[in-house]
Amino acid sequence: MLTHLDAKGQPAMVNVGEKPVTRRTAHAVAIVSLPPALAALLKDGEIHTKKGPIFHAAVLAGVMGAKRTSELIPLCHPLPLDDCQIEIRPDSAHREVAIHCRVLTHARTGVEMEALTGATVAAVPLYDMGNTLSEGITIRE
């Protein structure tokens, strides 16, 4: 049975009111594949453009995305996040960047959607800011 459908098959938020508040954590990863020209610009763990440092923008976007997940994903419960960490791991040898989002809360439901949203939203500035330097950026996984 799908949890986000009521008895009549209509969309419905899951009632978590009777569940206990517990410590909840989640970890999600997004991979951004870089074209050779952009990968060549990786220096000291960052890519600098006229718009600024790409990874700094990605970290801020990821945290903001995780915090606003319930506004972006239908039927998600709004959760107070105790912590949200975005870690950018560039791998110039494979021309890719791994974006790790780890989220923590104390709530009645999990934070998997917040971690997924944080990792995904953090990947978007890499595409946006990097695309001005080189086309062919791919966001995956």
Side-chain angles (χ1 to χ4, degrees):
M1 180 169 107
L2 298 175
T3 58
H4 286 84
L5 297 178
D6 65 15
K8 296 178 184 175
Q10 296 300 309
M13 182 180 268
V14 174
N15 182 352
V16 296
E18 300 301 317
K19 294 174 76 175
V21 172
T22 59
R23 182 178 193 270
R24 309 289 186 128
T25 62
H27 174 206
V29 181
I31 304 293
V32 180
S33 297
L34 306 175
L38 192 55
L41 297 176
L42 275 171
K43 292 181 181 147
D44 301 321
E46 179 62 276
I47 299 172
H48 295 275
T49 70
K50 290 181 182 180
K51 291 183 175 182
I54 292 177
F55 296 164
H56 287 181
V59 168
L60 293 173
V63 171
M64 291 172 66
K67 289 171 62 172
R68 301 190 79 168
T69 297
S70 67
E71 295 174 34
L72 300 170
I73 308 298
L75 305 178
C76 278
H77 291 84
L79 296 177
L81 301 185
D82 296 331
D83 192 23
C84 178
Q85 297 295 317
I86 305 288
E87 181 185 0
I88 310 287
R89 295 183 191 170
D91 181 351
S92 56
H94 293 99
R95 295 190 347 248
E96 64 185 27
V97 175
I99 301 169
H100 293 258
C101 179
R102 290 179 175 82
V103 182
L104 166 69
T105 192
H106 288 80
R108 291 181 166 91
T109 188
V111 288
E112 296 85 359
M113 293 305 296
E114 286 73 11
L116 287 164
T117 302
T120 303
V121 171
V124 174
L126 273 72
Y127 182 90
D128 176 51
M129 296 172 77
N131 202 38
T132 63
L133 301 172
S134 180
E135 293 181 358
I137 300 166
T138 304
I139 299 171
R140 58 188 173 84
E141 299 167 3

